[in-house]
Amino acid sequence: MGRMRMEEQWWKGELAADIHQTLRIKELKLPVYKAHSPQIGMRRYFTDLLTVLSCRCNLCPTARHLAVYLLDLFMDHYDITVKQLYVISIACLLLASKFEEKEDRVPKLEQLNNLAYMCNVNVALNKKDLLKMELLLLESFNWNLCLPTPAHYIDYYLFASVGENDLHNGWPITSLTKVKAFMEKYAYYFLDFSVQDYAFLSFRPSLIAAACVCASRICMQISPSWTTQLQLLTCYSWEHLAQCIEMMLIYYENDVKEASKVKKQVTLQQQVVGSVTHQTPTQVLFQQSSYHPLAQHSTALSQFQTPVQDLCSAYRDSLQAHRPTNLLSGSASTSLHSYSALQASLQPSVQTLPIQAPITMQVAIATEPRHCISMSYGNSYFSGHHSYTARYFDR
């Protein structure tokens, strides 16, 4: 599966439909995730660790998602100590890379040890321990690593994610190539979010991939938000995707709010630095330092996440080059009006969703993950009164 993905774009070939059907059949046989691990609170830390390591090693998304999924399944069945979790995480990454990547792209032991040291992981790996752990993992999975993840479907769905008849806020799309490029960035942005919280494991991988595409179309103000072609391709209707999409958009809104706070802090620091240059040497000498090392390390270790504001701004600029100025200044009611037929079928849930916020590698292992939001679905993203979708393209 991995070798075919690297050598050719299978989703564009003649066997694409057959491969997709095979993945969907295998998907039905996936183990049920019960979230019974005693170390479930540490899952986010090790997910971030695997993400950083895989990005440093330039592994494909399928390898990264498979590594996290292997770790989830193994943790769900065994009580594992913290030190063992480090070894198991690396072993999952190695197995996933061997299964999905070419041989010359599989990370070496020395490289992984160096990267782990850079992430403040005080565990020295050796070849013997890793081989034992790989064998243990393979035996626990009955030597079957062909486990579909959302990353295995995303490219197939992205290939048909935007059509010539689609509209942006009621206007025809002038540059289909640019829109598809931004659609891919948004979809992988939501795909990375889906791996960060184990709540998404209650959905099928193919459904998560389809929801990533639909959520991307909503954020990009493309209507209708879910087309007949995509429904036939994915075998999912709007009703099937609604709950997963809303979870993703809640994540997205919180990420945008956090990015806005960071931007304001950076602007404030720049103003402080500018004012310091006009002060006397005595004033500068006794001024309190504004250096925050943890904030810098946090930014470096979270670089695998897509910068939301830059993505929105770039997409806005690309459209402004071809559209009237009033195209991007419409209200949310007009931007969502084109798919009002889908709103009637959506039944918002009133259940509160606790979703974990990102943590950095500097946080102590004993620290429990914090919850960034705990909000109800009363203010649905698909109601006509929500002013979120259009706002981020008006900056």
Short mmCIF file of all heavy atoms in Angstrom, two decimals, residues 150-203:
data_model
loop_
_atom_site.label_atom_id
_atom_site.label_comp_id
_atom_site.label_asym_id
_atom_site.label_seq_id
_atom_site.Cartn_x
_atom_site.Cartn_y
_atom_site.Cartn_z
N PRO A 150 -7.53 7.47 8.20
CA PRO A 150 -8.04 8.56 7.35
C PRO A 150 -7.05 9.04 6.30
O PRO A 150 -7.46 9.49 5.22
CB PRO A 150 -8.35 9.66 8.37
CG PRO A 150 -8.64 8.94 9.64
CD PRO A 150 -7.73 7.74 9.63
N ALA A 151 -5.76 8.94 6.59
CA ALA A 151 -4.75 9.39 5.63
C ALA A 151 -4.73 8.54 4.38
O ALA A 151 -4.27 8.99 3.32
CB ALA A 151 -3.37 9.37 6.28
N HIS A 152 -5.23 7.30 4.45
CA HIS A 152 -5.25 6.44 3.27
C HIS A 152 -6.36 6.84 2.30
O HIS A 152 -6.31 6.47 1.12
CB HIS A 152 -5.44 4.98 3.69
CG HIS A 152 -4.25 4.39 4.37
ND1 HIS A 152 -4.12 4.35 5.74
CD2 HIS A 152 -3.13 3.82 3.88
CE1 HIS A 152 -2.98 3.77 6.06
NE2 HIS A 152 -2.35 3.45 4.96
N TYR A 153 -7.35 7.56 2.76
CA TYR A 153 -8.48 7.94 1.91
C TYR A 153 -8.41 9.38 1.42
O TYR A 153 -9.04 9.72 0.41
CB TYR A 153 -9.79 7.80 2.70
CG TYR A 153 -10.14 6.41 3.13
CD1 TYR A 153 -9.80 5.94 4.39
CD2 TYR A 153 -10.84 5.54 2.28
CE1 TYR A 153 -10.13 4.65 4.80
CE2 TYR A 153 -11.18 4.25 2.68
CZ TYR A 153 -10.82 3.83 3.94
OH TYR A 153 -11.14 2.55 4.34
N ILE A 154 -7.68 10.23 2.11
CA ILE A 154 -7.80 11.66 1.89
C ILE A 154 -7.45 12.08 0.46
O ILE A 154 -8.13 12.92 -0.14
CB ILE A 154 -6.93 12.43 2.93
CG1 ILE A 154 -7.29 13.92 2.93
CG2 ILE A 154 -5.45 12.20 2.67
CD1 ILE A 154 -8.65 14.21 3.46
N ASP A 155 -6.42 11.49 -0.13
CA ASP A 155 -6.03 11.88 -1.48
C ASP A 155 -7.07 11.48 -2.52
O ASP A 155 -7.31 12.20 -3.50
CB ASP A 155 -4.67 11.26 -1.84
CG ASP A 155 -3.52 11.90 -1.08
OD1 ASP A 155 -3.52 13.14 -0.94
OD2 ASP A 155 -2.65 11.18 -0.60
N TYR A 156 -7.69 10.33 -2.30
CA TYR A 156 -8.74 9.86 -3.22
C TYR A 156 -9.94 10.80 -3.18
O TYR A 156 -10.53 11.11 -4.22
CB TYR A 156 -9.14 8.44 -2.83
CG TYR A 156 -10.18 7.81 -3.74
CD1 TYR A 156 -9.91 7.57 -5.08
CD2 TYR A 156 -11.43 7.45 -3.23
CE1 TYR A 156 -10.86 7.00 -5.90
CE2 TYR A 156 -12.38 6.87 -4.04
CZ TYR A 156 -12.09 6.64 -5.38
OH TYR A 156 -13.04 6.06 -6.20
N TYR A 157 -10.30 11.27 -2.01
CA TYR A 157 -11.43 12.19 -1.89
C TYR A 157 -11.06 13.60 -2.34
O TYR A 157 -11.90 14.33 -2.88
CB TYR A 157 -11.93 12.22 -0.44
CG TYR A 157 -12.49 10.91 0.05
CD1 TYR A 157 -12.62 10.64 1.41
CD2 TYR A 157 -12.88 9.92 -0.85
CE1 TYR A 157 -13.14 9.43 1.85
CE2 TYR A 157 -13.39 8.70 -0.41
CZ TYR A 157 -13.52 8.46 0.95
OH TYR A 157 -14.02 7.26 1.38
N LEU A 158 -9.82 14.01 -2.11
CA LEU A 158 -9.38 15.33 -2.55
C LEU A 158 -9.37 15.46 -4.07
O LEU A 158 -9.54 16.57 -4.60
CB LEU A 158 -7.98 15.64 -2.00
CG LEU A 158 -7.90 16.15 -0.57
CD1 LEU A 158 -6.46 16.26 -0.13
CD2 LEU A 158 -8.59 17.50 -0.43
N PHE A 159 -9.17 14.36 -4.75
CA PHE A 159 -9.11 14.38 -6.21
C PHE A 159 -10.43 14.88 -6.80
O PHE A 159 -10.45 15.48 -7.89
CB PHE A 159 -8.78 12.99 -6.74
CG PHE A 159 -8.51 12.95 -8.22
CD1 PHE A 159 -7.49 13.70 -8.76
CD2 PHE A 159 -9.28 12.17 -9.07
CE1 PHE A 159 -7.23 13.68 -10.13
CE2 PHE A 159 -9.04 12.14 -10.43
CZ PHE A 159 -8.01 12.89 -10.96
N ALA A 160 -11.53 14.68 -6.07
CA ALA A 160 -12.84 15.14 -6.54
C ALA A 160 -13.44 16.16 -5.58
O ALA A 160 -14.66 16.35 -5.54
CB ALA A 160 -13.78 13.95 -6.70
N SER A 161 -12.60 16.84 -4.82
CA SER A 161 -13.10 17.74 -3.76
C SER A 161 -13.68 19.04 -4.30
O SER A 161 -14.53 19.65 -3.66
CB SER A 161 -11.97 18.05 -2.78
OG SER A 161 -10.88 18.67 -3.45
N VAL A 162 -13.23 19.48 -5.47
CA VAL A 162 -13.71 20.73 -6.06
C VAL A 162 -14.07 20.47 -7.52
O VAL A 162 -13.30 19.83 -8.25
CB VAL A 162 -12.64 21.85 -5.98
CG1 VAL A 162 -13.20 23.15 -6.53
CG2 VAL A 162 -12.17 22.03 -4.55
N GLY A 163 -15.25 20.94 -7.91
CA GLY A 163 -15.71 20.76 -9.28
C GLY A 163 -15.88 22.07 -10.01
O GLY A 163 -15.89 23.16 -9.40
N GLU A 164 -16.03 22.00 -11.30
CA GLU A 164 -16.17 23.21 -12.12
C GLU A 164 -17.48 23.94 -11.84
O GLU A 164 -17.57 25.16 -12.04
CB GLU A 164 -16.08 22.85 -13.61
CG GLU A 164 -14.72 22.28 -14.02
CD GLU A 164 -14.68 21.92 -15.49
OE1 GLU A 164 -15.76 22.00 -16.13
OE2 GLU A 164 -13.60 21.58 -15.99
N ASN A 165 -18.48 23.22 -11.38
CA ASN A 165 -19.78 23.84 -11.12
C ASN A 165 -19.91 24.39 -9.70
O ASN A 165 -20.95 24.95 -9.35
CB ASN A 165 -20.90 22.83 -11.37
CG ASN A 165 -20.96 22.38 -12.83
OD1 ASN A 165 -20.67 23.17 -13.74
ND2 ASN A 165 -21.33 21.13 -13.06
N ASP A 166 -18.87 24.24 -8.88
CA ASP A 166 -18.92 24.76 -7.52
C ASP A 166 -18.84 26.29 -7.54
O ASP A 166 -18.28 26.89 -8.46
CB ASP A 166 -17.77 24.19 -6.68
CG ASP A 166 -17.95 22.70 -6.41
OD1 ASP A 166 -19.11 22.24 -6.44
OD2 ASP A 166 -16.94 22.02 -6.17
N LEU A 167 -19.38 26.88 -6.48
CA LEU A 167 -19.39 28.33 -6.36
C LEU A 167 -18.68 28.76 -5.08
O LEU A 167 -18.71 28.03 -4.09
CB LEU A 167 -20.83 28.86 -6.33
CG LEU A 167 -21.72 28.53 -7.53
CD1 LEU A 167 -23.13 29.04 -7.29
CD2 LEU A 167 -21.15 29.11 -8.82
N HIS A 168 -18.07 29.91 -5.16
CA HIS A 168 -17.51 30.52 -3.95
C HIS A 168 -18.35 31.73 -3.59
O HIS A 168 -18.32 32.78 -4.26
CB HIS A 168 -16.06 30.95 -4.17
CG HIS A 168 -15.50 31.69 -2.98
ND1 HIS A 168 -15.53 33.06 -2.89
CD2 HIS A 168 -14.94 31.25 -1.83
CE1 HIS A 168 -14.98 33.44 -1.75
NE2 HIS A 168 -14.63 32.36 -1.09
N ASN A 169 -19.15 31.58 -2.53
CA ASN A 169 -20.02 32.67 -2.08
C ASN A 169 -20.93 33.16 -3.19
O ASN A 169 -21.23 34.35 -3.31
CB ASN A 169 -19.17 33.83 -1.55
CG ASN A 169 -19.90 34.59 -0.44
OD1 ASN A 169 -20.95 34.18 0.03
ND2 ASN A 169 -19.33 35.72 -0.05
N GLY A 170 -21.36 32.20 -4.03
CA GLY A 170 -22.28 32.54 -5.11
C GLY A 170 -21.63 32.89 -6.42
O GLY A 170 -22.33 33.10 -7.41
N TRP A 171 -20.30 32.94 -6.46
CA TRP A 171 -19.58 33.30 -7.68
C TRP A 171 -18.86 32.09 -8.24
O TRP A 171 -18.38 31.24 -7.49
CB TRP A 171 -18.54 34.40 -7.39
CG TRP A 171 -19.14 35.72 -7.06
CD1 TRP A 171 -19.71 36.10 -5.89
CD2 TRP A 171 -19.24 36.84 -7.94
NE1 TRP A 171 -20.15 37.40 -5.95
CE2 TRP A 171 -19.87 37.89 -7.20
CE3 TRP A 171 -18.85 37.09 -9.25
CZ2 TRP A 171 -20.13 39.14 -7.76
CZ3 TRP A 171 -19.10 38.34 -9.79
CH2 TRP A 171 -19.73 39.35 -9.05
N PRO A 172 -18.74 32.00 -9.55
CA PRO A 172 -17.98 30.88 -10.15
C PRO A 172 -16.51 30.94 -9.74
O PRO A 172 -15.95 32.01 -9.52
CB PRO A 172 -18.14 31.11 -11.66
CG PRO A 172 -19.35 31.98 -11.80
CD PRO A 172 -19.38 32.86 -10.57
N ILE A 173 -15.90 29.78 -9.65
CA ILE A 173 -14.49 29.68 -9.29
C ILE A 173 -13.65 29.96 -10.53
O ILE A 173 -13.77 29.28 -11.55
CB ILE A 173 -14.16 28.29 -8.72
CG1 ILE A 173 -14.94 28.07 -7.43
CG2 ILE A 173 -12.66 28.14 -8.48
CD1 ILE A 173 -14.75 26.68 -6.83
N THR A 174 -12.80 30.98 -10.45
CA THR A 174 -12.01 31.39 -11.62
C THR A 174 -10.73 30.57 -11.77
O THR A 174 -10.26 30.36 -12.88
CB THR A 174 -11.64 32.88 -11.50
OG1 THR A 174 -10.95 33.09 -10.26
CG2 THR A 174 -12.89 33.74 -11.54
N SER A 175 -10.14 30.15 -10.65
CA SER A 175 -8.89 29.38 -10.71
C SER A 175 -9.08 28.08 -9.94
O SER A 175 -8.91 28.04 -8.72
CB SER A 175 -7.73 30.19 -10.13
OG SER A 175 -6.53 29.44 -10.15
N LEU A 176 -9.44 27.03 -10.66
CA LEU A 176 -9.68 25.74 -10.03
C LEU A 176 -8.40 25.16 -9.44
O LEU A 176 -8.42 24.49 -8.40
CB LEU A 176 -10.28 24.77 -11.06
CG LEU A 176 -11.02 23.54 -10.51
CD1 LEU A 176 -12.21 23.97 -9.69
CD2 LEU A 176 -11.45 22.64 -11.65
N THR A 177 -7.27 25.43 -10.06
CA THR A 177 -5.99 24.90 -9.58
C THR A 177 -5.63 25.49 -8.22
O THR A 177 -5.22 24.76 -7.30
CB THR A 177 -4.87 25.21 -10.59
OG1 THR A 177 -5.22 24.66 -11.86
CG2 THR A 177 -3.56 24.61 -10.12
N LYS A 178 -5.80 26.80 -8.06
CA LYS A 178 -5.48 27.43 -6.78
C LYS A 178 -6.42 26.96 -5.68
O LYS A 178 -5.99 26.70 -4.55
CB LYS A 178 -5.57 28.96 -6.92
CG LYS A 178 -4.42 29.58 -7.68
CD LYS A 178 -4.52 31.10 -7.63
CE LYS A 178 -3.33 31.74 -8.33
NZ LYS A 178 -3.40 33.23 -8.28
N VAL A 179 -7.70 26.84 -6.00
CA VAL A 179 -8.66 26.40 -5.00
C VAL A 179 -8.36 24.98 -4.55
O VAL A 179 -8.43 24.66 -3.36
CB VAL A 179 -10.10 26.53 -5.55
CG1 VAL A 179 -11.09 25.90 -4.59
CG2 VAL A 179 -10.45 27.98 -5.79
N LYS A 180 -7.99 24.12 -5.48
CA LYS A 180 -7.63 22.75 -5.11
C LYS A 180 -6.38 22.71 -4.24
O LYS A 180 -6.28 21.87 -3.33
CB LYS A 180 -7.41 21.91 -6.37
CG LYS A 180 -8.70 21.48 -7.06
CD LYS A 180 -8.42 20.51 -8.20
CE LYS A 180 -9.71 19.98 -8.79
NZ LYS A 180 -9.47 18.99 -9.88
N ALA A 181 -5.45 23.59 -4.52
CA ALA A 181 -4.22 23.63 -3.70
C ALA A 181 -4.55 24.02 -2.27
O ALA A 181 -4.04 23.42 -1.31
CB ALA A 181 -3.22 24.60 -4.31
N PHE A 182 -5.38 25.04 -2.09
CA PHE A 182 -5.77 25.43 -0.73
C PHE A 182 -6.68 24.39 -0.08
O PHE A 182 -6.63 24.20 1.13
CB PHE A 182 -6.47 26.79 -0.76
CG PHE A 182 -5.53 27.95 -0.85
CD1 PHE A 182 -5.30 28.58 -2.05
CD2 PHE A 182 -4.86 28.39 0.27
CE1 PHE A 182 -4.42 29.65 -2.13
CE2 PHE A 182 -3.97 29.45 0.21
CZ PHE A 182 -3.75 30.09 -1.01
N MET A 183 -7.50 23.73 -0.89
CA MET A 183 -8.34 22.67 -0.36
C MET A 183 -7.49 21.55 0.24
O MET A 183 -7.81 21.00 1.31
CB MET A 183 -9.23 22.12 -1.47
CG MET A 183 -10.10 20.93 -1.07
SD MET A 183 -11.37 21.35 0.12
CE MET A 183 -12.40 22.44 -0.88
N GLU A 184 -6.40 21.21 -0.41
CA GLU A 184 -5.51 20.18 0.10
C GLU A 184 -4.88 20.60 1.43
O GLU A 184 -4.77 19.80 2.36
CB GLU A 184 -4.42 19.87 -0.92
CG GLU A 184 -3.45 18.79 -0.48
CD GLU A 184 -2.40 18.47 -1.53
OE1 GLU A 184 -2.51 19.01 -2.66
OE2 GLU A 184 -1.48 17.69 -1.23
N LYS A 185 -4.48 21.87 1.54
CA LYS A 185 -3.88 22.35 2.78
C LYS A 185 -4.89 22.31 3.93
O LYS A 185 -4.58 21.88 5.04
CB LYS A 185 -3.34 23.77 2.59
CG LYS A 185 -2.15 23.86 1.65
CD LYS A 185 -1.65 25.29 1.52
CE LYS A 185 -0.46 25.37 0.58
NZ LYS A 185 0.03 26.77 0.45
N TYR A 186 -6.10 22.77 3.65
CA TYR A 186 -7.13 22.73 4.68
C TYR A 186 -7.45 21.30 5.10
O TYR A 186 -7.62 21.00 6.29
CB TYR A 186 -8.41 23.41 4.17
CG TYR A 186 -8.51 24.88 4.50
CD1 TYR A 186 -8.22 25.84 3.54
CD2 TYR A 186 -8.92 25.31 5.75
CE1 TYR A 186 -8.32 27.20 3.82
CE2 TYR A 186 -9.02 26.66 6.05
CZ TYR A 186 -8.73 27.59 5.08
OH TYR A 186 -8.82 28.93 5.38
N ALA A 187 -7.58 20.40 4.13
CA ALA A 187 -7.95 19.02 4.43
C ALA A 187 -6.90 18.34 5.30
O ALA A 187 -7.23 17.63 6.26
CB ALA A 187 -8.16 18.24 3.13
N TYR A 188 -5.62 18.55 4.98
CA TYR A 188 -4.57 17.96 5.81
C TYR A 188 -4.48 18.65 7.17
O TYR A 188 -4.03 18.03 8.14
CB TYR A 188 -3.23 18.04 5.07
CG TYR A 188 -3.00 16.87 4.15
CD1 TYR A 188 -3.32 16.96 2.79
CD2 TYR A 188 -2.51 15.66 4.63
CE1 TYR A 188 -3.13 15.88 1.95
CE2 TYR A 188 -2.32 14.58 3.79
CZ TYR A 188 -2.63 14.70 2.45
OH TYR A 188 -2.45 13.62 1.62
N TYR A 189 -4.87 19.89 7.23
CA TYR A 189 -4.94 20.59 8.51
C TYR A 189 -5.96 19.91 9.43
O TYR A 189 -5.69 19.61 10.59
CB TYR A 189 -5.32 22.05 8.25
CG TYR A 189 -5.65 22.86 9.47
CD1 TYR A 189 -4.64 23.39 10.27
CD2 TYR A 189 -6.96 23.13 9.82
CE1 TYR A 189 -4.94 24.15 11.39
CE2 TYR A 189 -7.27 23.89 10.93
CZ TYR A 189 -6.26 24.40 11.71
OH TYR A 189 -6.57 25.15 12.81
N PHE A 190 -7.15 19.64 8.91
CA PHE A 190 -8.16 18.93 9.68
C PHE A 190 -7.75 17.48 9.93
O PHE A 190 -8.10 16.90 10.97
CB PHE A 190 -9.51 18.99 8.97
CG PHE A 190 -10.19 20.32 9.05
CD1 PHE A 190 -10.37 21.10 7.92
CD2 PHE A 190 -10.64 20.81 10.26
CE1 PHE A 190 -11.00 22.33 8.00
CE2 PHE A 190 -11.26 22.05 10.36
CZ PHE A 190 -11.44 22.81 9.21
N LEU A 191 -7.03 16.89 9.01
CA LEU A 191 -6.57 15.51 9.19
C LEU A 191 -5.62 15.42 10.38
O LEU A 191 -5.67 14.46 11.16
CB LEU A 191 -5.88 15.03 7.91
CG LEU A 191 -5.58 13.53 7.82
CD1 LEU A 191 -6.87 12.74 7.71
CD2 LEU A 191 -4.69 13.25 6.61
N ASP A 192 -4.74 16.41 10.54
CA ASP A 192 -3.85 16.43 11.70
C ASP A 192 -4.62 16.62 13.00
O ASP A 192 -4.25 16.08 14.04
CB ASP A 192 -2.81 17.54 11.53
CG ASP A 192 -1.76 17.21 10.48
OD1 ASP A 192 -1.59 16.02 10.20
OD2 ASP A 192 -1.14 18.14 9.94
N PHE A 193 -5.68 17.42 12.95
CA PHE A 193 -6.51 17.59 14.13
C PHE A 193 -7.16 16.28 14.55
O PHE A 193 -7.29 15.98 15.74
CB PHE A 193 -7.60 18.63 13.87
CG PHE A 193 -7.22 20.02 14.31
CD1 PHE A 193 -7.76 21.12 13.69
CD2 PHE A 193 -6.32 20.22 15.34
CE1 PHE A 193 -7.41 22.41 14.08
CE2 PHE A 193 -5.96 21.49 15.74
CZ PHE A 193 -6.52 22.59 15.11
N SER A 194 -7.60 15.49 13.57
CA SER A 194 -8.34 14.28 13.89
C SER A 194 -7.50 13.26 14.64
O SER A 194 -8.05 12.42 15.37
CB SER A 194 -8.87 13.64 12.60
OG SER A 194 -7.81 13.13 11.80
N VAL A 195 -6.18 13.32 14.48
CA VAL A 195 -5.33 12.35 15.15
C VAL A 195 -4.98 12.78 16.57
O VAL A 195 -4.46 11.99 17.36
CB VAL A 195 -4.04 12.12 14.33
CG1 VAL A 195 -3.03 13.22 14.55
CG2 VAL A 195 -3.43 10.76 14.63
N GLN A 196 -5.28 14.03 16.92
CA GLN A 196 -4.87 14.55 18.21
C GLN A 196 -5.83 14.20 19.34
O GLN A 196 -5.47 14.30 20.51
CB GLN A 196 -4.69 16.08 18.12
CG GLN A 196 -3.54 16.49 17.23
CD GLN A 196 -3.45 17.99 17.08
OE1 GLN A 196 -4.19 18.73 17.71
NE2 GLN A 196 -2.53 18.46 16.24
N ASP A 197 -7.04 13.83 19.03
CA ASP A 197 -8.02 13.51 20.06
C ASP A 197 -8.61 12.14 19.78
O ASP A 197 -9.07 11.87 18.66
CB ASP A 197 -9.13 14.56 20.09
CG ASP A 197 -9.93 14.51 21.38
OD1 ASP A 197 -10.56 13.47 21.63
OD2 ASP A 197 -9.91 15.48 22.15
N TYR A 198 -8.62 11.28 20.79
CA TYR A 198 -9.10 9.91 20.58
C TYR A 198 -10.61 9.85 20.38
O TYR A 198 -11.16 8.79 20.04
CB TYR A 198 -8.70 9.02 21.76
CG TYR A 198 -9.28 9.42 23.10
CD1 TYR A 198 -10.53 8.97 23.51
CD2 TYR A 198 -8.57 10.23 23.97
CE1 TYR A 198 -11.05 9.33 24.74
CE2 TYR A 198 -9.07 10.60 25.20
CZ TYR A 198 -10.32 10.14 25.58
OH TYR A 198 -10.84 10.50 26.79
N ALA A 199 -11.33 10.97 20.56
CA ALA A 199 -12.77 10.98 20.31
C ALA A 199 -13.08 10.69 18.85
O ALA A 199 -14.14 10.15 18.53
CB ALA A 199 -13.36 12.33 20.72
N PHE A 200 -12.15 11.03 17.96
CA PHE A 200 -12.37 10.77 16.53
C PHE A 200 -12.26 9.29 16.19
O PHE A 200 -12.68 8.88 15.11
CB PHE A 200 -11.36 11.57 15.69
CG PHE A 200 -11.65 13.03 15.63
CD1 PHE A 200 -10.99 13.92 16.47
CD2 PHE A 200 -12.59 13.55 14.76
CE1 PHE A 200 -11.26 15.28 16.43
CE2 PHE A 200 -12.87 14.91 14.71
CZ PHE A 200 -12.20 15.78 15.55
N LEU A 201 -11.72 8.48 17.09
CA LEU A 201 -11.61 7.05 16.82
C LEU A 201 -12.96 6.36 16.87
O LEU A 201 -13.08 5.19 16.52
CB LEU A 201 -10.67 6.40 17.84
CG LEU A 201 -9.19 6.78 17.69
CD1 LEU A 201 -8.37 6.20 18.84
CD2 LEU A 201 -8.64 6.31 16.36
N SER A 202 -14.00 7.06 17.30
CA SER A 202 -15.33 6.47 17.27
C SER A 202 -15.93 6.50 15.86
O SER A 202 -16.95 5.86 15.61
CB SER A 202 -16.26 7.24 18.22
OG SER A 202 -16.36 8.61 17.85
N PHE A 203 -15.30 7.25 14.94
CA PHE A 203 -15.75 7.31 13.55
C PHE A 203 -14.88 6.39 12.69
O PHE A 203 -13.73 6.12 13.02
CB PHE A 203 -15.67 8.73 13.00
CG PHE A 203 -16.44 9.74 13.80
CD1 PHE A 203 -15.78 10.64 14.63
CD2 PHE A 203 -17.81 9.81 13.71
CE1 PHE A 203 -16.48 11.58 15.37
CE2 PHE A 203 -18.53 10.75 14.44
CZ PHE A 203 -17.87 11.63 15.27
#
